[in-house]
Every structure is written in C-alpha cells, then in structure tokens.
Amino acid sequence: MNQLVLLACAVCGAGEDRASGALLVMTIIISLLPLGMMGGLIGYFVYQSRKGDQAAEDAK
Amino acid sequence: MSTATAEHGHEGQGHDAHGHHEPQNFFLKYFWSTDHKIIGMQYLFTGLAMAVVGGFAVYAFRMQLAFPGMSVPGWGRVTATDYNALVTTHGSVMIFWVAMPVLIAALGNYLIPLMIGCDDMVFPRLNRLSYQLFLLSIVVLFMSFYAQGGGFGGAWTSYPPLAAKAEYNLTPAGAPLWLLAVALEFAAFLLGGINFVTTVMNSRAPGMKMFDIPMVIWMIIIASIMFMASVGPLVAGAVMLFFDQTLGTGFFDPNQGGDPVLWQHLFWFFGHPEVYVVLLPAMGIVAEVVTTFARKKLFAYKTVLYTAVGTGVLGFFVWAHHQFIAGIDPRMANIFSVTTLLISIPVAEMCFVYIATLYGGSIRLTTPMLWALAFIGEFLIGGVTGIFLGASGADIYFHDTYFVIAHFHYTFFPIAFIAVFAAMTYWFPKMFGRYMNEAWGKVHFWGTIIPFNFIFIPLFLLGARGDHRRIYDYTHFPDLMKPGMQDLRILATLALVTLLAFQLVFVVNFFLSMFRGKKAEANPWKANTLEWVAPSPPPHGNFPEGLPNVYRGPYEFSHPDRQEDYWPQNVAS
Amino acid sequence: MEAVVTNPVPERRKPVVPSAVLGTLIFVIAEVMFFAGLISAHTISRAGSLPGLWPMPGQPTLPAEATALNTVLLLLSGAVLFFGYRLWKKQSPVAHWVTLAAWGLGAAFVALQGVEWVALLSQGLTLRSSPLGSFFYLIVGGHAVHALAALVAMFWAWMQMARGQLTSGFFFGVQTFWYFVVLMWPVIYARVYF
Ligand code: HEM
Ligand SMILES: [Cu+2]
C-alpha cells in the first residue's frame, strides 16, 4: 500500500477545514433532504385531503 | 379507480376479493395468508420468540460479568469470543428482531385496519412478502451464529475496522451474514412501512378525519415515515461495509484511503431516528391505555400529535451525540449538544400530557393500566439521564460506560417490553376473544418492574464510577476495580435472572388464557375506537356487520351529555 | 348498551392520492436517501483525501466528456417516456412505439456505461485500486442496478401497452421509478465524474 494514502484518512485530517467543511455541508444536506421530501409529500397530502374533507362537508 | 393491477387488487373498490372463502388448509391459512391479522400475529409470535433468544444471550453474558470464569448453566464457560458474540446478538436481536417487529410490524399490521375501520391493508401481498423477507432475515441471522468462526461479535453498532476486517473480528462469515440479515430485515420493514402509510391515508372509514385517527395509529405512521426516510444512508453504509468485508475494498479502512468514522455517521444517521421509531408507537399504546382506564379524553390530542411530528423532525438532527468523542469537529459537537437537549422537551411533554390525562380521571388499575403507568415513570428516568449524556462535556466521561447502558435500557426496556406488555394485555381480548388472568398479570407486572430497577440502578452507579461497557472480565484489570463494584454487578445479574424467571408467568398466563380464559365480549374495556366494534376475535374481513362509519374522535370518555361514560366512534348519536 | 349503528353498504373513501402513487412515491424517497448516503460518503472521503491523490497518480481519470453523451441519452429517454405517457392518455395508437423508443434510449445508456466500465477496467481502475475506483463502481453500479430493474419493468409495461392491457397504476409506478433513475443520474454525474 502506498504510504501516502495513509494520510488520506479524514479523521487524521479532522482539523483541516476542507474535510470538516465537506462533512458539515453533507450533514446539512442529508438531514434536510428527507425532511424536505417527506414534508413535501405530507404537505401535498394534507392539502389534497383538506380539499376532500371540505367537499364532503359541502355535500352534506 | 382504474388502477387495480394484480398487486393492488385491494385498492379502492377492488375489495370483492373478500367475497370468497378464506383458505382452510392450515399451511395456507397461517403461513401463506394475506390477512393483516394473521401477518400481525406472525410478526408478534416471531418477535416474542426472538425475545427468548435475546434474553438467553443477556443471561449468559451477565452471568460471566457477575461470576467471571464460571461455567454458566445452559451455555458453559463464556470465552471472550463468546462474550462478544453474545453481546452483539443481544443488542441486535432486541432492537431489530424484537422491538421493531413487535412494536411496528405486529401492532401496525394488527391494529391499523381494525382501528381505521377497513377490512385489510392496501397492498396485502406486499405485506405477506414483508413477513417472508423478515423470516428470511432470521434464517440468515441464525446461519451467522453457526458459520465458521462463530457469530459476529462487533457490537450492534458494527463499527469498522473491527467489523470490516476478518483479521480483527475473527468471524469471516459471521460478520457479512449478520450484515446481510440486518439489510434483509430493513427491506421487510420498508415494504411494511409503505403499506402502513398508504393504508391509513386511503382506507380510513368514511367520516374519519385526520384528527379522528387514534393516537397509536398516528404514532406508528410517523415512526414508519421516520424509518423510511432515515434507513437509506444506513443501507448505503451497509453495502460499503459488506464490500469491505467480502471484496476487499477500503471504504472504511484508513490504510486504503478510507474513513472509519464515516460509518459512524451513516449508522447513527439512522440509529438515532431509529430510537424514536420505536419510542413513538410505545407512546401511542400508552395514550390508548391511559385514556381508556382513566375514562378521560386524551389531554390535548393535537398537541400530542404535533409534538410527535416535532420529535420526528428534531430526531434527524441529534445523531452525532453518539460520536462526541469519536473525533468529530468540536463545533459540530456543540450544535448536536443543543439539539439533543432540545429534543428532550417534546419527549417530556408527551409524558406530561399523559399525566394530565390521568388528573381527575376515574382510574382503574387493571394490568394494562399498570403497565402504561409504569411506562411513564420508568421512561422518564431514561429521558432524564439522556440529558446528562447529551451535554457533550459530561459525555466525555460517561461515553461507553455502564451509565450509557443504563440510560438506554431505561428507555428501551419500557418501550420494547413495558409498553408491549401494556399492548398485549390490552388487546388480548380482541386478539383471542378471551380475557387474560388479571391476578397473574399483576404478579408478572411486579415481578418484572421491581427486578428491572434492580438491574439498572446498579448499572447507573457502576457507570458513574467509570465501569467500561466493553470489558469482559474485570479480574484482569484489578487496578480499575473499586470496592463494591463487583457486588453491584452481582446484584444486577441476580435481578436479571429474577426478571427472566418471572417472564415464565407471562408465557403460561398467555397461553392458558388463550385457550382457557374467560370469554370476552366485543368491547370488554368499554373503549371507543373501532377495533372494539369488530367481534372478538375479528373474522376475516374484520367487520361482518358492515364497515363502520365514524362520527367523532377516539377519546370521547365521560361526556357530560351521555349516560354511559364512553362514546364509540361509530355511534351516530 | 346502545345499538351499534353501522353503515350497511359503506361508501368507500375516495383515496386522496391513489395508493399505487403514494406507495411508489414513498419508495422513491427511500431510494433517494440511499443515493444521498452514497454520494455524501463519496464527497466526505474525497474532501478528506490529500491533494493530488484523487485520482491517484497513475490511474485513469474518469471520461467525463464521453459520458456527457450518455447523460444526454438518458435525459432524452425520460422526456420521451413522458411524451409517450401523454400520447397513451390520449389513446394514441403510436403511444407504445414512443414508449419503446424511451426504452431503447435507456438501454443504450446502460450499454454505453458498460462499454465505459470495460475500458476503465482495462486501464487499471478497479474496485480495489483506489478509493475513487471503489466509489465509482459502487455508486455508478448502484445506479446501473436500478436502471436495469427499471428497464425490465418498462419493457413489461410496453408489452402490456401494446396489448392494450396496461393499467394506469402500474404505468405510474414504472414512470416514477424511471424518472427517479433519470434524475438521479445528473447528480451522480456531476459529483462523481468531475
Ligand atoms: C430524551 C431523549 C434522549 C436523549 C437526550 C438521549 C441521549 C443520548 C445520548 C447523548 C447518548 C450517547 C451516549 C454515549 O454513547 O456516550 C445516548 C445513547 C443511547 N440512547 Fe439515548 N437519548 C434519549 C432517548 C432515547 C430513547 C427514547 C432511546 C430508545 C430506545 C434511546 C436509546 C439509546 C441507545 C440505544 C443508546 C446507546 C447506543 C450505543 O452506543 O450502543 N435514547 N442517548
Ligand atoms: Cu441518540
């Protein structure tokens, strides 16, 4: 194994900004992504079902 | 709706499939059924059987801790390798093969169609496939125990490099098989989760609005959504780890340019939401039981619901509290400390709402109610000690000690057992058409709760004195032993054995009541939700008198205008 | 005890969002998270590697320009499929030919990727040769597995369509899954190839 590669470990470079910056950005993205997607789906659903409930009320 | 393909035959109006007779053949009826109740039972009994496996593992390694080097009855001498494999088996089985199947899959499958008033899941065959995958995952797990080199011993968190390199873990076959089993189990729950969410959204009884859905159903739904949104990165990590184990890649190996801490991120990104995945259904069970036996409306239904959603959202932002001392950026540790402390607010709030529900109610201390009350009390201890650990400064000292073990057992035991016992004693009459014996139920209750505290309070004390969670035999480290520590370990182990012994009471009571118990009517607890409209036990198709219509919310107890103190959801006036 | 009032012939709830649609969407969300996990792992590992080691000296760089063609083919395939869907809804007789064209474009994408893999392997970029190689084969391979599965399903949908037996639920599922495969690719392309 190439000795240089040993230094590629991200933990050993944890103090280095380029590694922790990437970690931070990815953390933000990966945390917001599921919430955004699920939130979008739920929002769409609630909107649709409000419409449905309203229509049912009107029919009464 | 014209979308009824073969798989979606049960959608919309496509329910005529229920017209024909269900298969009578024993195998077809109990192993090849698409009926949600049968699948729920399959999950329930499989999960409980796995609890025996997990319970046996903890018995064996706790005996080793209390009496190092002894020959444990039923196992023999616990070697260091055995010890690691037993701890791993205990942790992963209890979380992935007991809590998840029982709380989410069994209760979800059994209760969702009954409580929302429909006859089956939307995708019944997907449901059957889900159970089959789950069963397959268990087969693979058992294969890993008997594989060459023995079962995997890298802890349920499976950190590399220990988990990735056969040179270190010495289980060249056990480690990948374990990982495969976990992945299969996730696939099973993914299918189940899709089914749950779709069914609740689309098959509710007419008239059941969003805020008429019983709390336990909401909780299962929110938990399923959290599970499905968080499991992807872990599966990605699992594939990478699997490649490291079997193909020699170096994703997590610094020697090959990889990053071992990356696994921890991917694992805990799922791992922390996972604890709320199991917590929320348990909270839902408690809501049902507490309202029924306090004869009171749930205090602040909407608040509980929004709180649960809030917990679900916040639950995605706390995972790095498991890695405070894993070499992460200290600035990140600060942020995660704050979010961790924040999340205990909604969790505590749910407990307080239940206490407020009790206030002024006419409380009946039946066995399910005792379990539900115990859940609130014991879980609060777990939540409060979580705050200690969430403060990153304190966690530097507490991390990987028995304090952490005690913390998460004070959360996890109430969830996976106390709440489950509440659920089983509460819905037993519905499931089997008979009552469980109350007196033996209470014996079992006290025989579980008292030893439970005697196991884990000593572990708190040990952890606070620095007892490390991964040490197999402290006689090798006499300088780390303080006076009295071994006594505490022995106390915890004896309490554990007592607790396990008392579970026999439950098993006997369960099976005897199933066949001999007093016959139960459709609505033995005088509760409001729709499952009590169906006969006990519900037949195929659930509601032989026609599917119910819903007129009001699930918790209308002791309404001033009514003579009876309950008001079923399906009664028009 | 009051007489329990049940509705003898219950009107069923009209699904707010059809079940097949909702189920597929949730599944796709889980899948997106899977790729998000892979891509974030790749980004973090790459950022942590020392300058000059990504790609490793002596190893081929990824053929970003040549892959641009594949990318265009795949995006085109998605667009054509959408067009085919519109035609199908209008019950046009040529709808299934358009769908087949979308399938062909998708298959061409997978085939060209295969050619690229063979070339890279022969130049010494393997799963084990470097972190870049590991991530490349893992992520692009993961995408390829999804693409192949989607192609099988799409072919099935095409056969049903040609016979006039296609149900909208199934077609919706296939389309959603294919759009997921199509739209995931540019992200992978941008992150992994450059
Ligand atoms: C009030 C909310 C909670 C807070 C603030 C909290 C906080 C924490 C913290 C900071 C740790 C890391 C300790 C360390 O490893 O040094 C931890 C570990 C753990 N917590 Fe919690 N927790 C909470 C609720 C829960 C719940 C509801 C569960 C449910 C099952 C749970 C299960 C666990 C588990 C399993 C671990 C240890 C994992 C391991 O290292 O093996 N926690 N908790
Ligand atoms: Cu946590």
Side-chain angles (χ1 to χ4, degrees), chain B residues 234-394:
Chain B
L234 177 60
V235 175
V239 173
M240 289 157 67
L241 188 57
F242 192 78
F243 279 16
D244 276 13
Q245 288 170 341
T246 55
L247 300 178
T249 52
F251 290 112
F252 301 124
D253 178 4
N255 281 321
Q256 300 179 47
D259 176 0
V261 178
L262 195 54
W263 163 264
Q264 301 185 17
H265 291 306
L266 294 171
F267 183 89
W268 288 116
F269 181 79
F270 163 80
H272 194 89
E274 165 71 9
V275 310
Y276 294 99
V277 169
V278 289
L279 168 64
L280 292 180
M283 285 283 187
I285 293 166
V286 174
E288 303 300 321
V289 175
V290 161
T291 48
T292 303
F293 294 111
R295 314 307 292 167
K296 257 191 77 188
K297 193 172 176 152
L298 179 66
F299 184 85
Y301 173 101
K302 286 194 188 176
T303 315
V304 179
L305 179 58
Y306 294 143
T307 312
V309 174
T311 315
V313 172
L314 255 184
F316 278 91
F317 295 96
V318 299
W319 43 275
H321 65 214
H322 296 272
Q323 300 164 262
F324 281 147
I325 61 167
I328 60 168
D329 190 329
R331 284 165 296 183
M332 227 159 114
N334 281 344
I335 300 173
F336 279 95
S337 243
V338 173
T339 53
T340 303
L341 300 185
L342 275 180
I343 201 165
S344 47
I345 296 173
V347 174
E349 201 232 71
M350 279 190 259
C351 290
F352 294 144
V353 164
Y354 297 154
I355 295 170
T357 306
L358 291 171
Y359 179 77
S362 39
I363 296 173
R364 297 191 214 152
L365 289 178
T366 55
T367 315
M369 184 63 159
L370 285 179
W371 286 116
L373 296 178
F375 175 88
I376 301 173
E378 304 286 6
F379 180 81
L380 275 176
I381 301 179
V384 166
T385 50
I387 302 177
F388 289 45
L389 299 172
S392 55

Side-chain angles (χ1 to χ4, degrees), chain B residues 1-3 5 8 11-12 15 119 122-123 190 194 197-198 201-202 204-208 228-229 232-233 235-236 239-240 243 247-249 251 256-257 262 266 269 533 545-547 549 562 564 566 570-571 573, chain C residues 1-8 10-20 22-24 26-27 29-30 33-38 40-42 44-45 49 54 127-128 130-131 134-135 137-138 167-170:
Chain B
M1 219 175 45
S2 62
T3 60
T5 60
H8 313 133
E11 246 175 53
H15 275 263
D119 49 7
V122 179
F123 306 119
L190 192 59
I194 291 175
V197 177
T198 317
M201 290 310 146
N202 284 347
R204 271 170 293 134
M208 184 180 267
M228 292 185 290
V235 175
V239 173
M240 289 157 67
F243 279 16
L247 300 178
T249 52
F251 290 112
Q256 300 179 47
L262 195 54
L266 294 171
F269 181 79
V533 175
E545 306 192 353
L547 299 181
N549 235 328
R562 282 177 59 88
E564 280 124 341
Y566 68 115
N570 67 318
V571 173
S573 61
Chain C
M1 182 79 204
E2 245 164 292
V4 173
V5 185
T6 45
N7 195 349
E11 2 121 30
R12 280 195 177 266
R13 174 177 295 272
K14 197 168 146 292
V16 178
V17 177
S19 300
L22 195 58
T24 318
I26 298 174
F27 182 68
I29 291 180
M33 285 311 292
F34 171 74
F35 280 100
L38 289 181
S40 67
H42 166 265
I44 293 169
S45 283
S49 70
W54 193 287
L127 189 63
R128 297 174 59 178
S130 65
S134 306
F135 272 110
Y137 289 110
L138 175 69
T167 59
S168 68
F170 182 64

Side-chain angles (χ1 to χ4, degrees), chain B residues 10-87:
Chain B
H10 279 255
E11 246 175 53
Q13 278 82 11
H15 275 263
D16 39 10
H18 281 296
H20 61 74
H21 282 284
E22 45 186 315
Q24 290 308 312
N25 171 313
F26 182 83
F27 174 78
L28 286 182
K29 184 163 173 203
Y30 291 105
F31 292 96
W32 202 252
S33 172
T34 55
D35 186 301
H36 71 97
K37 296 184 290 299
I38 304 269
I39 295 175
M41 292 287 181
Q42 288 172 330
Y43 267 119
L44 182 67
F45 284 109
T46 321
L48 294 180
M50 290 307 281
V52 176
V53 177
F56 180 74
V58 66
Y59 154 77
F61 77 73
R62 276 302 322 176
M63 288 299 271
Q64 156 66 24
L65 283 171
F67 312 107
M70 88 176 284
S71 170
V72 178
W75 179 272
R77 216 180 106 59
V78 179
T79 64
T81 326
D82 288 352
Y83 180 87
N84 287 344
L86 285 167
V87 172

Side-chain angles (χ1 to χ4, degrees), chain A:
Chain A
M1 211 12 90
N2 186 337
Q3 276 302 308
L4 272 177
V5 186
L6 265 176
L7 297 170
C9 166
V11 186
C12 314
E16 292 181 44
D17 277 344
R18 64 202 157 79
S20 58
L23 186 66
L24 192 65
V25 172
M26 283 299 128
T27 301
I28 292 170
I29 289 181
I30 212 171
S31 304
L32 292 180
L33 189 64
L35 296 173
M37 288 191 299
M38 282 296 177
L41 190 63
I42 293 168
Y44 173 67
F45 196 91
V46 169
Y47 170 74
Q48 290 285 325
S49 73
R50 285 251 169 84
K51 261 189 3 197
D53 284 350
Q54 196 55 49
E57 291 284 296
D58 295 347
K60 271 194 197 141

